[in-house]
Every structure is written in structure tokens, then in C-alpha cells.
Amino acid sequence: MKILVVGGGGREHAIIKKLCENSRVEKVYALPGNGGIAEIAECVPIGTKDINKIRDFAVNNKVDFAVIAPDDPLVLGAVDLLEEAGILCFGPNKAAAAIEGSKVFSKNLMKKYSIPTAGYEVFEKAEDASEYIAKTNSFPVVIKADGLALGKGVIIAQDRTEAQDAITSIMSDRIFGESGNKIVIEEFLSGPEVSVLAFTDGKTVVPMVSSMDHKKAFDGDLGPNTGGMGTIAPNPFYDYKTAKECMERIFIPTINAMNAEGRPFKGCLYFGLMLTSNGPMVIEYNCRFGDPEAQVVLPLLKTDLLEIMEAVTGERLSDISIEFDNGAACCVIIASGGYPSSYKKGYEIKIADISPDTRLYHAGTTLSDSVLVTSGGRVIGVTATGRSLNEAVDKAYKDASNVNFKDAFYRKDIGVRALKYIENTD
Ligand code: AMP
Ligand code: GLY
């Protein structure tokens, strides 16, 4: 089979490595891929938003199966274009991808179908939003741009001035462009966060092993938000009882709601959850695998990924059983100095003495005259697995110190909160 994978980050590297375990896979094209993916796939310089070019490439190269991994092409309708051209595709169509592409859509969906989430109001005019903020007394308050904003569209405003500034930046200064045409102002929730990725074919929903992201740039959850500085799986806060409750009150109702709206969701649905004192609530949906959640979830997947993806596409997910290893995984992201603000690119990456079972998932890397150099903010994710979380974390850190380039940095406390929780509950 010839497979096409759209995307060029650590998530796509993890997906491609997993797909290559299937002996039916003869060739993988990555659009655009990166310096690490180039070792196992042919990288083609087509951007993830160029959905017409993606379709033309797939048709011209007689691709048998396509996996659209990032949010942008899904929300723009890449799956619809490929399917019209007769190419089997893993990922939701444009109508279903709105669950991530529009926060207003997803919040209204949850309200209509009584799926637990933070209370909210939608605003289309800056004046109306300002008037609301002038009257409310509940701070902090959470302000979200409606559309995609590179993971930066959520602002937690501590007081009235910060809230007003957020409204001005999003709706008047248009820092996120059209994504700020509307905003959601929502109630601030607190509690441990859990990411649950689930395979679904629109009828059956199969949650994967849970995970925990570490979104802030620096140790102790300090500094600015990033795309994610590291992950662990499973997430110890997500116990059996919580999982059962989420299945009944969130996962199945969401799949049913999307069907009732005439937008059946097929692909990987990401539930960003917060375990509040009033029970689990949805913070956000993503219409795709999380990054860097995929880098800890996929190494624990025992079932063949291509078989699962084909079952999703063929709407026969209930026919297969999906198994995960009962060990643990930890991914530590090595980033460029200055990330998530400005940083330099083009530094040579030196990798020494990595344990044979550690996985290096490349993100911002490229080959320049056969030399591996940095080309992005998040450069490489170091994933280790182990029988316990403790073992996985130790192994990941041992190898993280062996990935070196100028100004590299990484968080030293990935998994620490989870380990403390495990220690206290044992
Ligand atoms: P996102 O960019 O959508 O992944 O959101 C970034 C982060 O904002 C989430 O991981 C949460 O930590 C936080 N967040 C979003 N919505 C809320 C909320 N209603 N209450 C508290 N924190 C929130
Ligand atoms: N790690 C969060 C995301 O993929 O959106």
C-alpha cells in the first residue's frame, strides 16, 4: 500500500512509525514531513493548508490511504476533497471537524445535548463582550477565539482589565484574524486535566489510554503556554470510575450529538477534560490526535494502527478489539531556546547514546546538506516506555540529556505531578 500522511511534527512521526509496522505498507509520503520522518518516508514539500495540492498529489501518485493528522487541513475540508477523488481517508470531514474549528459550534453542541462543560456566553461584537465584562464579578474568566489560533486562542483573564485587553486584541486588533470574528467567554474551572483520544467511526467509540499534557513552557507550570512540552500516559487522575462516567456522560453523548446534527465524526476525537469537583467536564474537543499526546499513546498501542484506521474508515470499528500495553510512557520535548516566542533555527543537532528502545520523534528538524539541524520551536520528543510511570520518566530523562543543540531546553518535571499523585494514593 501507498500511504500519505499530512503533517510534519512529532505526532506525524509517531503515526508513520506505527503505520510502518504493518507489512502491507510499502511506501509512505509525508507532506511535508521533517528531518526524522525522512528516514522512513518520502517527504514532499507541500504545506498542510494546501488542500488542493494535497489532493492532486494523492491522485497523481495513486495513494491507497491518506491520514490527515493536523487541525488546519481537516477544518479546511481536506478529507472531503480526497474522498471526492476516491481516496480512502482517516480523519473527519469538514462538517465534523467544526467540533474543533469553531468553539461556538462545540459549546452550543454541548449545551444542546447536555454534555458537561463550563457555562458560557457567545459574543459577535466587541461592545457587547465589553458590556458583559463590565458587569460580571466572577474572575478569573476564560476568553476564547472562535476559530483555530495555533493553540493560542485561549486567554485566562485574572481581572476586568485583562479581560478587556483580551477582547480588544481578539475582536478589534484581530490578533487571530478571522478566528476572532466571534468569541466565547466562559466560566473558569479548576481540577486536574486529562486528554483522552478516542477512535470513532461515528457508531462505536473506543477511548485510548489516557494522557496528561504539560502545556506551560517552564518547570512548575510557569511561563507562557506552548503546543505542549511533554506528556505521560496513562494519566493517574483518570481512574476507572472517572473513565466510566466520561464514557456515559461525555463520549457516547458527543458521538450521538454529532450524528443528530448530521455531522457524523469519523477519525480520532480528542477530549480535553477537566476533573472538577462537579465531575468531569469538557474543556475542548480536537478533531485529531493530540501533539504530544500521540507520542505517548501510540507507543502503548498493541493493535495494528493501519487495521484500526481502515476499520474507522469502513465503519466497522465494533468488529475489532483494540489493546494497549498496561505499562506507561513519558515524552519529553526538547525545544529551541526562546520558544514559544522567537528562537533561532539551523543549529546542528547531535544525538548520542540513545537506548535502543527509546523513540525519538522529530518535530522541528530538517536535513541541510545531510546534516540534521533545528527548524522549529519544538525540535524532538524523547519517548520512553516502562512497566511503571517512574521507570518511563527515568528512561526518558536519561536519553533527553543525549539530544544536544545550541540553546536547547526542556522541562525537568514532566510526570512529577502524576508521580506524586500515585505516591499519595498508593
Ligand atoms: P487550549 O488552547 O484550548 O488547549 O486551552 C489551553 C488551556 O486553557 C487548557 O488546557 C486549560 O488549561 C485552560 N482552559 C481552557 N478553558 C478553561 C476553563 N474554562 N477553565 C479553566 N481553564 C481553562
Ligand atoms: N497537546 C494539545 C493539542 O494537541 O492540542
Side-chain angles (χ1 to χ4, degrees):
M1 280 177 84
K2 282 192 202 174
I3 313 255
L4 178 151
V5 176
V6 174
R11 164 183 58 203
E12 288 76 17
H13 199 184
I15 291 172
I16 294 172
K17 272 199 182 171
K18 203 77 197 171
L19 288 171
C20 286
E21 290 174 12
N22 185 308
S23 59
R24 284 189 292 137
V25 176
E26 285 165 36
K27 168 125 194 146
V28 179
Y29 297 105
L31 279 56
N34 61 41
I37 292 176
E39 286 174 18
I40 48 174
E42 182 177 331
C43 296
V44 182
I46 292 177
T48 57
K49 291 189 194 175
D50 280 336
I51 60 172
N52 289 307
K53 283 192 187 158
I54 293 170
R55 187 256 332 268
D56 293 347
F57 180 89
V59 170
N60 294 338
N61 290 279
K62 300 195 169 52
V63 161
D64 298 297
F65 195 84
V67 179
I68 316 297
D71 49 8
D72 278 315
L74 290 167
V75 171
L76 290 169
V79 169
D80 308 61
L81 278 187
L82 285 159
E83 283 182 349
E84 275 164 31
I87 292 166
L88 288 176
C89 241
F90 179 85
N93 63 15
K94 187 175 181 175
I99 200 166
E100 174 170 3
S102 168
K103 295 255 195 285
V104 173
F105 170 77
S106 70
K107 293 298 289 188
N108 289 343
L109 184 86
M110 289 185 270
K111 187 184 211 173
K112 183 167 170 190
Y113 295 92
S114 306
I115 296 165
T117 190
Y120 71 103
E121 299 283 337
V122 174
F123 296 95
E124 297 190 15
K125 289 193 188 137
E127 305 89 85
D128 295 343
S130 298
E131 201 176 302
Y132 174 84
I133 286 302
K135 286 191 200 139
T136 186
N137 281 317
S138 66
F139 291 98
V141 74
V142 185
I143 300 184
K144 300 184 169 180
D146 177 43
L148 296 180
L150 297 168
K152 294 181 184 150
V154 175
I155 297 170
I156 297 177
Q158 298 300 334
D159 54 37
R160 203 162 270 127
T161 313
E162 283 185 22
Q164 194 49 60
D165 287 349
I167 293 168
T168 307
S169 325
I170 300 174
M171 299 192 92
S172 309
D173 303 344
R174 306 249 145 199
I175 54 168
F176 306 124
E178 303 233 317
S179 288
N181 285 353
K182 295 182 195 169
I183 58 167
V184 169
I185 299 188
E186 84 180 25
E187 177 197 2
F188 178 82
L189 301 176
S190 57
E193 287 186 53
V194 183
S195 307
V196 178
L197 317 181
F199 291 112
T200 175
D201 59 359
K203 300 183 213 159
T204 306
V205 55
V206 183
M208 297 178 225
V209 62
S210 61
S211 53
M212 183 195 286
D213 195 3
H214 297 69
K215 287 202 169 107
K216 301 279 185 182
F218 310 125
D219 287 13
D221 289 328
L222 297 175
N225 254 326
T226 69
M229 293 299 289
T231 33
I232 54 112
N235 184 326
F237 291 94
Y238 189 73
D239 57 17
Y240 177 78
K241 187 175 149 278
T242 310
K244 189 164 176 287
E245 192 178 353
C246 288
M247 190 67 176
E248 287 163 6
R249 297 185 57 209
I250 296 174
F251 306 160
I252 293 173
T254 301
I255 302 307
N256 291 344
M258 291 299 276
N259 285 330
E261 292 296 305
R263 300 170 186 252
F265 190 102
K266 288 165 60 172
C268 172
L269 183 53
Y270 170 129
F271 298 89
L273 306 170
M274 195 172 268
L275 309 182
T276 74
S277 51
N278 293 320
M281 296 207 183
V282 178
I283 287 286
E284 61 162 348
Y285 292 113
N286 291 325
C287 64
R288 49 175 177 83
F289 286 95
D291 186 338
E293 283 89 343
Q295 291 93 309
V296 285
V297 169
L298 292 177
L300 295 173
L301 176 63
K302 292 209 288 191
T303 312
D304 184 89
L305 181 60
L306 181 60
E307 304 275 339
I308 300 173
M309 288 183 163
E310 288 177 319
V312 166
T313 304
E315 294 178 25
R316 46 183 176 74
L317 192 55
S318 63
D319 293 351
I320 61 169
S321 93
I322 298 178
E323 283 180 53
F324 284 86
D325 191 289
N326 54 20
C330 172
C331 174
V332 177
I333 301 288
I334 319 289
S336 297
Y339 174 76
S341 312
S342 64
Y343 52 83
K344 293 211 171 93
K345 300 179 186 177
Y347 293 133
E348 183 175 353
I349 303 167
K350 295 215 168 80
I351 299 171
D353 294 332
I354 299 290
S355 325
D357 61 341
T358 293
R359 296 154 173 93
L360 296 185
Y361 294 127
H362 290 231
T365 75
T366 190
L367 290 168
S368 163
D369 295 330
S370 307
V371 177
L372 190 69
V373 299
T374 62
S375 64
R378 292 189 294 171
V379 177
I380 287 184
V382 180
T383 296
T385 54
R387 275 154 299 155
S388 65
L389 184 59
N390 222 336
E391 189 185 324
V393 170
D394 279 353
K395 281 164 75 178
Y397 274 110
K398 189 176 145 280
D399 283 329
S401 60
N402 288 325
V403 176
N404 293 295
F405 52 88
K406 190 170 183 305
D407 299 336
F409 82 101
Y410 56 89
R411 275 182 62 162
K412 306 288 189 302
D413 64 345
I414 303 302
V416 166
R417 188 167 177 215
L419 287 170
K420 278 197 185 134
Y421 180 77
I422 293 171
E423 221 173 85
N424 291 336
T425 49
D426 262 356

PDB file of all heavy atoms in Angstrom, residues 213 215 227 270 286 288 290-293, ligand 2:
ATOM      1  N   ASP A 213      -0.923  16.281  29.317  1.00  0.00           N
ATOM      2  CA  ASP A 213      -0.001  17.191  28.641  1.00  0.00           C
ATOM      3  C   ASP A 213       0.596  18.136  29.690  1.00  0.00           C
ATOM      4  O   ASP A 213       0.067  18.259  30.796  1.00  0.00           O
ATOM      5  CB  ASP A 213      -0.794  17.981  27.581  1.00  0.00           C
ATOM      6  CG  ASP A 213       0.091  18.698  26.571  1.00  0.00           C
ATOM      7  OD1 ASP A 213       1.333  18.555  26.645  1.00  0.00           O
ATOM      8  OD2 ASP A 213      -0.453  19.405  25.709  1.00  0.00           O
ATOM      9  N   LYS A 215       1.500  21.944  29.353  1.00  0.00           N
ATOM     10  CA  LYS A 215       1.412  22.982  28.316  1.00  0.00           C
ATOM     11  C   LYS A 215       2.324  24.187  28.537  1.00  0.00           C
ATOM     12  O   LYS A 215       2.711  24.851  27.588  1.00  0.00           O
ATOM     13  CB  LYS A 215      -0.036  23.469  28.203  1.00  0.00           C
ATOM     14  CG  LYS A 215      -0.938  22.445  27.530  1.00  0.00           C
ATOM     15  CD  LYS A 215      -2.179  23.090  26.951  1.00  0.00           C
ATOM     16  CE  LYS A 215      -2.919  22.115  26.063  1.00  0.00           C
ATOM     17  NZ  LYS A 215      -4.163  21.591  26.634  1.00  0.00           N
ATOM     18  N   GLY A 227       2.723  24.570  22.628  1.00  0.00           N
ATOM     19  CA  GLY A 227       1.984  23.467  21.998  1.00  0.00           C
ATOM     20  C   GLY A 227       1.976  22.232  22.884  1.00  0.00           C
ATOM     21  O   GLY A 227       1.199  21.303  22.661  1.00  0.00           O
ATOM     22  N   TYR A 270     -10.481  13.985  20.124  1.00  0.00           N
ATOM     23  CA  TYR A 270      -9.688  14.288  21.318  1.00  0.00           C
ATOM     24  C   TYR A 270     -10.585  14.992  22.322  1.00  0.00           C
ATOM     25  O   TYR A 270     -11.154  16.035  22.002  1.00  0.00           O
ATOM     26  CB  TYR A 270      -8.540  15.181  20.868  1.00  0.00           C
ATOM     27  CG  TYR A 270      -7.666  15.851  21.897  1.00  0.00           C
ATOM     28  CD1 TYR A 270      -6.284  15.743  21.823  1.00  0.00           C
ATOM     29  CD2 TYR A 270      -8.182  16.668  22.900  1.00  0.00           C
ATOM     30  CE1 TYR A 270      -5.446  16.401  22.716  1.00  0.00           C
ATOM     31  CE2 TYR A 270      -7.354  17.317  23.793  1.00  0.00           C
ATOM     32  CZ  TYR A 270      -5.996  17.180  23.693  1.00  0.00           C
ATOM     33  OH  TYR A 270      -5.185  17.835  24.576  1.00  0.00           O
ATOM     34  N   ASN A 286     -10.741  18.310  20.180  1.00  0.00           N
ATOM     35  CA  ASN A 286      -9.915  18.454  18.983  1.00  0.00           C
ATOM     36  C   ASN A 286     -10.325  17.347  18.026  1.00  0.00           C
ATOM     37  O   ASN A 286     -10.708  16.261  18.465  1.00  0.00           O
ATOM     38  CB  ASN A 286      -8.416  18.349  19.309  1.00  0.00           C
ATOM     39  CG  ASN A 286      -7.934  19.554  20.112  1.00  0.00           C
ATOM     40  OD1 ASN A 286      -8.400  20.674  19.902  1.00  0.00           O
ATOM     41  ND2 ASN A 286      -7.028  19.331  21.040  1.00  0.00           N
ATOM     42  N   ARG A 288      -8.597  15.473  16.105  1.00  0.00           N
ATOM     43  CA  ARG A 288      -7.354  14.815  15.650  1.00  0.00           C
ATOM     44  C   ARG A 288      -6.596  14.276  16.855  1.00  0.00           C
ATOM     45  O   ARG A 288      -6.950  14.584  17.990  1.00  0.00           O
ATOM     46  CB  ARG A 288      -6.501  15.885  14.966  1.00  0.00           C
ATOM     47  CG  ARG A 288      -6.450  17.087  15.915  1.00  0.00           C
ATOM     48  CD  ARG A 288      -5.581  18.195  15.521  1.00  0.00           C
ATOM     49  NE  ARG A 288      -5.699  19.275  16.494  1.00  0.00           N
ATOM     50  CZ  ARG A 288      -5.054  19.354  17.633  1.00  0.00           C
ATOM     51  NH1 ARG A 288      -4.174  18.432  17.958  1.00  0.00           N
ATOM     52  NH2 ARG A 288      -5.244  20.352  18.475  1.00  0.00           N
ATOM     53  N   GLY A 290      -3.750  14.392  19.559  1.00  0.00           N
ATOM     54  CA  GLY A 290      -3.031  15.493  20.183  1.00  0.00           C
ATOM     55  C   GLY A 290      -1.538  15.356  19.922  1.00  0.00           C
ATOM     56  O   GLY A 290      -1.030  14.268  19.670  1.00  0.00           O
ATOM     57  N   ASP A 291      -0.865  16.484  20.000  1.00  0.00           N
ATOM     58  CA  ASP A 291       0.589  16.517  19.871  1.00  0.00           C
ATOM     59  C   ASP A 291       1.088  17.294  21.079  1.00  0.00           C
ATOM     60  O   ASP A 291       0.760  18.474  21.201  1.00  0.00           O
ATOM     61  CB  ASP A 291       0.957  17.225  18.560  1.00  0.00           C
ATOM     62  CG  ASP A 291       2.446  17.181  18.261  1.00  0.00           C
ATOM     63  OD1 ASP A 291       3.232  16.987  19.210  1.00  0.00           O
ATOM     64  OD2 ASP A 291       2.818  17.358  17.101  1.00  0.00           O
ATOM     65  N   PRO A 292       1.785  16.735  22.030  1.00  0.00           N
ATOM     66  CA  PRO A 292       2.492  15.441  22.038  1.00  0.00           C
ATOM     67  C   PRO A 292       1.769  14.264  22.710  1.00  0.00           C
ATOM     68  O   PRO A 292       2.456  13.335  23.144  1.00  0.00           O
ATOM     69  CB  PRO A 292       3.771  15.786  22.810  1.00  0.00           C
ATOM     70  CG  PRO A 292       3.381  16.859  23.778  1.00  0.00           C
ATOM     71  CD  PRO A 292       2.192  17.561  23.190  1.00  0.00           C
ATOM     72  N   GLU A 293       0.427  14.245  22.755  1.00  0.00           N
ATOM     73  CA  GLU A 293      -0.245  13.071  23.329  1.00  0.00           C
ATOM     74  C   GLU A 293      -0.002  11.814  22.475  1.00  0.00           C
ATOM     75  O   GLU A 293       0.188  10.712  23.013  1.00  0.00           O
ATOM     76  CB  GLU A 293      -1.752  13.314  23.449  1.00  0.00           C
ATOM     77  CG  GLU A 293      -2.156  14.201  24.622  1.00  0.00           C
ATOM     78  CD  GLU A 293      -2.168  15.674  24.289  1.00  0.00           C
ATOM     79  OE1 GLU A 293      -1.566  16.069  23.265  1.00  0.00           O
ATOM     80  OE2 GLU A 293      -2.784  16.447  25.048  1.00  0.00           O
TER      81      GLU A 293
HETATM   82  N1  GLY B   2      -1.499  18.844  23.123  1.00  0.00           N
HETATM   83  C1  GLY B   2      -2.655  19.590  22.827  1.00  0.00           C
HETATM   84  C2  GLY B   2      -3.112  19.555  21.446  1.00  0.00           C
HETATM   85  O1  GLY B   2      -2.686  18.753  20.633  1.00  0.00           O
HETATM   86  O2  GLY B   2      -3.947  20.376  21.093  1.00  0.00           O
END
